[in-house]
């Protein structure tokens, strides 16, 4: 019998109204939102009624996406469905950590708020940008990035999609080179060059913050963006390093499939991971759950 994976979405797919249907139709989801509201008043209003501009600000995006991800997972678990493995994309990894029991929901939410603050500070200190590159292999994207002073492949999403981060004054030239190589480049509406050396200061601050945070052993394996393997060794170091390291999403999915995973449930905002998983392996089942309709379909 195959294995089930919960995958937790990252920032970028946020929208006004996210999580409201879950809040109104699941006691488990409601409890997650109420927990977040107590720690960070205004979180529910931002999720349910916030403008696109408000939700695009990193210090708002991360707490709001995190709580919606975790609420969705809690709602699915409330239906009696539990995963054999969990993994999250970027920010989603913190939700996976919380759901696995490595951190309490409260501690994980506080961590996300600090993570957002530190990444926002790093983004403002050194301006960077990001672009999604399609139609080129990861190896070709790496070769293109090597021709610039500050350009890095940062999200290995699928065989034909790699996201890059670069200095703000280099991103347009990089996109031009991609197009000259018959690839496609789309600049992303983000406020910084995430998962790159631009985030080193944020990683350092996160490591300092985590010194006073206690981790528990996970109830199920949590796959790390940094290694594409289950968390092992120094959990805190992996969590901190994640913000400045590439997201090895394709390899993570491939490793999970090799372990017998054939059902992927994307819990949280949007369908981005569902689409990527189907591009990585068309034989597995991948669905997304972000509202009552999704829960009923499940």
């Amino acid at each position: 019998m195959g294995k089930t994976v919960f995958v937790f979405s990252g920032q970028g797919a946020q929208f006004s109204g996210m999580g409201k249907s879950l809040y109104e139709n699941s006691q488990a989801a409601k409890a997650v939102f109420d927990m977040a509201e107590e720690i960070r008043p205004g979180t529910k209003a931002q999720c349910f009624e916030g403008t696109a501009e408000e939700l695009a600000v990193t210090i708002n995006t991360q707490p709001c996406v995190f709580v919606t991800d975790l609420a969705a997972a809690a709602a699915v678990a409330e239906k009696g469905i539990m995963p054999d493995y969990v993994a999250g994309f970027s920010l989603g990894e913190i939700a996976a950590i919380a759901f696995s029991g490595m951190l309490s929901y409260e501690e994980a939410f506080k961590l996300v708020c600090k993570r957002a603050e530190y990444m926002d500070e790093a983004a403002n200190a050194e301006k960077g940008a990001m672009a999604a590159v399609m139609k080129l292999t990861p190896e070709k994207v790496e070769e293109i990035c090597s021709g610039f002073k500050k350009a890095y492949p940062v999200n290995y999403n699928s065989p034909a999609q790699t996201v890059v981060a670069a200095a703000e004054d280099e991103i347009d030239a990089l996109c031009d080179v991609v197009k000259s190589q018959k690839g496609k480049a789309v600049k992303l509406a983000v406020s910084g060059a995430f998962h790159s050396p631009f985030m080193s200061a944020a990683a350092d601050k996160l490591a300092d913050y985590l010194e006073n945070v206690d981790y528990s052993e996970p109830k199920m394996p949590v796959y790390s963006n940094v290694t594409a393997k289950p968390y092992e060794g120094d959990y805190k170091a992996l969590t901190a390093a994640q913000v400045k390291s590439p997201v090895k999403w394709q390899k993570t999915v491939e490793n999970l499939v090799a372990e017998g995973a054939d059902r992927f449930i994307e819990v949280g905002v949007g369908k981005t991971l569902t689409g990527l998983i189907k591009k990585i392996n068309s034989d597995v089942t991948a669905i997304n759950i972000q509202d009552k309709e999704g829960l009923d379909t499940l």
Side-chain angles (χ1 to χ4, degrees):
M1 188 172 175
K3 303 289 181 66
T4 298
V5 187
F6 281 8
V7 291
F8 296 77
S9 54
Q11 66 187 96
Q14 63 274 2
F15 62 92
S16 182
M18 60 183 176
K20 187 175 182 182
S21 175
L22 294 169
Y23 183 81
E24 293 172 344
N25 291 282
S26 164
Q27 284 300 311
K30 182 178 185 297
V32 174
F33 275 103
D34 289 344
M35 172 277 299
E37 185 69 19
E38 192 169 323
I39 295 170
R40 182 181 179 270
T43 299
K44 286 195 290 189
Q46 284 183 339
C47 289
F48 303 160
E49 304 156 18
T51 64
E53 291 76 18
E54 185 180 15
L55 289 169
V57 179
T58 299
I59 56 173
N60 297 330
T61 314
Q62 294 198 19
C64 290
V65 171
F66 169 88
V67 72
T68 304
D69 282 3
L70 200 52
V76 175
E78 188 179 38
K79 293 280 190 182
I81 298 171
M82 288 294 288
D84 298 287
Y85 308 104
V86 293
F89 190 100
S90 185
L91 164 69
E93 187 170 299
I94 311 301
I97 285 172
F99 188 81
S100 77
M102 286 172 72
L103 291 175
S104 70
Y105 286 5
E106 292 82 1
E107 196 68 77
F109 186 67
K110 292 174 185 176
L111 170 61
V112 163
C113 292
K114 287 295 183 184
R115 182 182 188 272
E117 177 188 327
Y118 299 152
M119 291 175 76
D120 189 57
E121 287 173 359
N124 289 322
E126 190 175 8
K127 295 296 182 182
M130 299 176 75
V133 178
M134 281 78 76
K135 300 181 180 180
L136 296 179
T137 65
E139 292 77 17
K140 189 63 181 176
V141 175
E142 290 168 354
E143 181 186 320
I144 291 171
C145 286
S146 69
F148 291 85
K149 289 181 180 177
K150 291 186 176 181
Y152 315 92
V154 292
N155 299 344
Y156 290 86
N157 289 347
S158 74
Q161 186 188 108
T162 306
V163 173
V164 299
E168 199 172 51
D169 59 2
E170 289 190 313
I171 195 72
D172 287 336
L174 190 151
C175 290
D176 288 341
V177 174
V178 167
K179 291 167 189 172
S180 74
Q181 298 290 326
K182 296 186 168 47
K184 180 181 178 182
V186 178
K187 286 204 288 187
L188 304 181
V190 294
S191 59
F194 304 133
H195 295 288
S196 77
F198 283 82
M199 291 291 118
S200 293
D204 290 344
K205 289 180 180 178
L206 207 55
D208 289 342
Y209 174 81
L210 286 169
E211 284 185 7
N212 298 311
V213 175
D214 293 326
Y215 277 58
S216 300
E217 289 303 313
K219 296 169 187 171
M220 71 281 292
V222 181
Y223 275 67
S224 162
N225 289 174
V226 177
T227 64
K229 298 176 181 178
Y231 260 71
E232 60 181 5
D234 190 337
Y235 295 165
K236 296 180 183 181
L238 271 180
T239 304
Q242 191 239 33
V243 301
K244 66 175 182 180
S245 305
V247 175
K248 297 177 180 176
W249 189 249
Q250 180 183 340
K251 190 63 179 173
T252 295
V253 172
E254 290 171 347
N255 286 345
L256 281 160
V257 171
E259 289 295 323
D262 63 1
R263 292 184 298 273
F264 290 79
I265 302 175
E266 179 176 4
V267 283
V269 188
K271 304 177 182 179
T272 301
L273 301 184
T274 301
L276 292 177
I277 289 164
K278 288 177 178 177
K279 288 177 181 176
I280 295 167
N281 190 313
S282 60
D283 293 330
V284 302
T285 299
I287 61 171
N288 72 299
I289 306 294
Q290 63 177 339
D291 52 25
K292 181 181 182 296
E293 183 182 354
L295 283 173
D296 291 343
T297 302
L298 190 62

